[in-house]
Amino acid sequence: MRRVPSILFRTLAAPRAATSFAVPNRLLQAALYGSATAASRSHRRRFSSLLGPFAAASLGVAGALISQEVLAKEPPPPEALPNDVVLYQFEACPFCNKVKAFLDYYDIPYKVVEVNPLSKKEIKWSEYQKVPILMVDGEQLNDSSVIIDKLGHKILSKIIVDSTSEDEETKWRRWVDNHLVHVLSPNIYRNTSEALESFEYITSNGNFSYLEKFSVKYVGAAAMYFVSKKLKKKYNITDERAALYEAAETWVDALDGREFLGSKPNLADLAVFGVLKPIRYLRSGKDMVEHTRIGEWYARMESAVGEPSRIKA
């Protein structure tokens, strides 16, 4: 792995304007969450490789500056790169963002097709009607963890440990899929104002007509408010924020003082970072960073993942 000299600003990322994402009807249970605007994401990524966590600090830097090495990206050998990678996604889907975190960190170029969650016309050709779907040189890969496993083996020659094993990386990847993602929805849609906050994203993104945008925003927010209450009951969550904070602290405890779970970001780091990314600048994500110790790790991951490797249309 290459290393580049840099300055790490030990600070929690300052809050940014939050946006959101909408999904109607039965698709609302696909766990789509709001994320930063395209402009703010582009601005942050443009400078992240140089300034690390400082790019997220819009109100100034709190804490001391320390000099140390920051991990650079880990691109695979050029001959291992596929010729054509296309991700079918919902922009704010945590599982889609988990795949993107992997692609971005390993600098694998990819195109994005934003799927309309109302009609899903963009994936009508597929028997598998969920996202993410990743097409790799014509081969269809489904399910975020399966996608990452297959790419890890195929492109990076990384041997993925069998799912029945309990090595540290596998254990925490499973924890992301079986626990962490389930505490997100009850937090994002905790009340009507937070539900509307998340659905505000739809006014400027997605393949919708004006009437679809309007109806999805308000009907979707109301529907997800009630869906989140069902999910809260299903997963025995009594206090949404307490559950989110506990999950964040559980992850920090797992790090045990390390910058990353491994000597560098591993698949578990990328999974946690990916699913948290859509909520980071919503009210729930801001609260999480303010009330837990996860902010410094998240800032390090933003710096390590760096610029997106997405190919602009």
Side-chain angles (χ1 to χ4, degrees), residues 21 33 35 41 89-93 97 100 114 201 278 310:
F21 190 79
Y33 309 126
S35 64
R41 285 196 307 274
Q89 65 152 26
F90 298 138
E91 176 63 31
C93 163
N97 277 274
K100 286 194 291 187
E114 190 69 20
Y201 184 91
R310 173 177 176 174

Side-chain angles (χ1 to χ4, degrees), residues 174-228:
R174 190 179 300 121
W175 174 80
V176 170
D177 292 342
N178 295 338
H179 178 72
L180 181 57
V181 294
H182 299 313
V183 305
L184 301 182
S185 183
N187 276 278
I188 295 169
Y189 307 107
R190 180 174 62 154
N191 52 46
T192 54
S193 64
E194 289 186 63
L196 284 170
E197 176 197 29
S198 75
F199 277 82
E200 189 65 30
Y201 184 91
I202 199 60
T203 62
S204 58
N205 292 274
N207 305 316
F208 296 93
S209 67
Y210 175 80
L211 289 178
E212 286 175 330
K213 290 179 180 180
F214 182 86
S215 62
V216 167
K217 176 181 176 180
Y218 291 99
V219 175
M224 274 308 297
Y225 171 78
F226 291 107
V227 167
S228 71

